[in-house]
Amino acid sequence: MKYQSQDQDGRPWSPYLAGALVGVLAILSAYATTVWMGKTNYLGASTTFVRAAGLIEQQVAAEHVAENVYFTKEKVRVDWQFLFVVGILIGAFLASRLDGSFRLEGVPPIWRDRFGDSVVRRAIGAFGGGVVAMFGARLADGCPSGHGLSGMMQLSVSAFVALAMFFGAGVAVAAFIYRRNKP
Amino acid sequence: MTIEHVLGLVTGILFGFLLQKGRVLRFEKQVAAMLLRDMTILKFMLSAIAVGMVGVAALSSAGVIALNHKPMNLGAVLLGGGLFGVGWGIMGYCPGTSVGALGEGRWHALFAIAGMLTGAALFAEAYPWLKATVLSWADFGKIGLPEALGVSQWLIIVLFWAIVGALFRWFEAKGL
């Protein structure tokens, strides 16, 4: 494979093992939140972006945030999921430092092959993609964590449809964007 | 920090650790999955789902935990899911992995995070309009597949394991 080099990439675990352990973690977390918080919480990430956006907007336009129906519905506060998302950053940092796979990277290789070395171009792509993806995730009421992992584990009908749409659209867009890249 | 915050933080640290160890935080892995060249992301996700669904089914039927389905709001899930996929393909991260990618030094994820915060703010502005349109088209409510199909959850779980097992064997045979 062109894009990976095992010997320079620390000590990865089998994705089957790491994934199965996430399954165990999700079960334990559902149990622990039920016992200690009185409400079953499932893993998810995208609602935190709404709350974080609300917290930032409050600094400049507190009244506007207070009047917004969606911010009121999702409650702009630092909650369980907010700390969960902060934890992801810390956990990934620890794991990558411990096995030597931490790398500073401004432009990823597949992107460079297609769009060149420009950090500005990558920033525009990442930002623009982020705007569209988060708007979509909030409309669908979940992302690959909330729908993809948690919804699927609960056998939610919405999760099967959402995950199919995520991947279907992703495959179509990736094929279109990177069609000139050599495999 | 309340117990809620401690639980969230500890769970997040473990989740981030496992995401990193499975190497699913990478832009390369996410895009390679969408290009159908490397199925690391799917191996990871489907393994997590297959294991998780057994525990969730057992604990919820025993009345220990509660299920919390996201609404099957057809227009919203189809349109939102499609938009998410388009953005995901360009950004190369999803919300959870963007934060983890930053943790392992891939600092271009910062632009993705900034974009997603902007997207969330825009959604909050558009919400009243969306509520009157897309979100009101066809809402089937919070439904699970067992009720929708009228079959036992365990039958679906056995079928899921069989399909995923076959898929994994195929991935390995093809070197994906």
Side-chain angles (χ1 to χ4, degrees):
Chain A
M1 286 291 290
K2 187 180 169 192
Y3 295 116
Q4 60 193 65
S5 169
Q6 295 292 334
D7 53 343
Q8 288 174 10
D9 193 30
R11 294 179 301 280
W13 292 357
S14 152
Y16 298 117
L17 173 67
L21 289 173
V22 164
V24 174
L25 178 68
I27 299 166
L28 292 176
S29 168
Y31 179 74
T33 52
T34 311
V35 171
W36 280 301
M37 290 166 56
K39 182 180 182 297
T40 310
N41 276 32
Y42 290 95
L43 311 186
S46 63
T47 316
T48 293
F49 284 79
V50 176
R51 302 202 174 104
L55 288 171
I56 295 167
E57 270 189 70
Q58 273 178 351
Q59 307 308 310
V60 288
E63 276 178 38
H64 183 71
V65 174
E67 286 164 4
N68 183 285
V69 190
Y70 193 63
F71 283 133
T72 311
K73 174 176 173 283
E74 298 295 345
K75 298 183 187 69
V76 178
R77 60 182 279 264
V78 175
D79 68 336
W80 175 88
Q81 195 198 79
F82 203 106
L83 269 291
F84 173 76
V85 173
V86 172
I88 296 175
L89 184 118
I90 300 169
F93 175 75
L94 291 174
S96 64
R97 295 301 293 199
L98 287 171
D99 80 353
S101 57
F102 182 93
R103 293 276 181 289
L104 290 174
E105 175 189 273
V107 182
I110 296 183
W111 180 277
R112 180 178 295 127
D113 286 357
R114 175 67 181 84
F115 296 106
D117 277 326
S118 164
V119 173
V120 175
R121 207 176 287 180
R122 172 60 192 144
I124 293 169
F127 185 90
V131 171
V132 175
M134 185 51 70
F135 194 95
R138 290 329 305 155
L139 184 55
D141 200 18
C143 60
S145 298
H147 269 308
L149 295 177
S150 301
M152 291 293 288
M153 283 178 199
Q154 299 176 67
L155 307 177
S156 307
V157 175
S158 55
F160 284 85
V161 180
L163 199 56
M165 289 305 294
F166 294 167
F167 268 102
V171 165
V173 165
F176 177 72
I177 296 178
Y178 298 104
R179 67 189 187 282
R180 281 191 253 160
N181 279 38
K182 291 191 182 67
Chain B
M1 292 259 281
T2 63
I3 184 80
E4 171 184 357
H5 294 137
V6 175
L7 270 181
L9 189 64
V10 171
T11 312
I13 290 173
L14 293 170
F15 187 53
F17 191 93
L18 292 170
L19 288 169
Q20 205 281 334
K21 279 308 209 180
R23 296 295 187 259
V24 295
L25 297 173
R26 305 283 164 77
F27 174 94
E28 306 302 304
K29 295 285 187 185
Q30 308 218 7
V31 171
M34 289 182 252
L35 291 170
L36 309 174
R37 288 180 196 162
D38 176 340
M39 291 298 151
T40 304
I41 303 281
L42 276 181
K43 292 174 188 174
F44 182 95
M45 283 187 80
L46 292 172
S47 300
I49 294 164
V51 170
M53 62 172 44
V54 176
V56 169
L59 289 176
S60 63
S61 20
V64 179
I65 63 170
L67 291 182
N68 185 14
H69 296 299
K70 289 174 185 296
M72 182 56 235
N73 190 320
L74 195 62
V77 174
L78 288 177
L79 197 63
L83 277 176
F84 178 84
V86 170
W88 187 22
I90 302 167
M91 171 169 56
Y93 292 120
C94 58
T97 52
S98 68
V99 180
L102 183 61
E104 61 168 358
R106 276 63 179 179
W107 54 268
H108 55 102
L110 273 174
F111 305 118
I113 294 168
M116 287 190 283
L117 289 170
T118 308
L122 289 175
F123 183 83
E125 299 307 316
Y127 183 72
W129 180 77
L130 290 164
K131 204 168 173 292
T133 53
V134 185
L135 288 160
S136 66
W137 289 344
D139 191 354
F140 296 94
K142 302 184 168 195
I143 44 169
L145 205 54
E147 304 97 90
L149 298 177
V151 296
S152 156
Q153 58 181 352
W154 296 108
L155 176 68
I156 297 173
I157 291 174
V158 168
L159 277 174
F160 189 87
W161 274 71
I163 293 168
V164 164
L167 206 54
F168 285 171
R169 264 210 301 257
W170 185 70
F171 289 162
E172 294 309 318
K174 292 282 176 186
L176 288 168

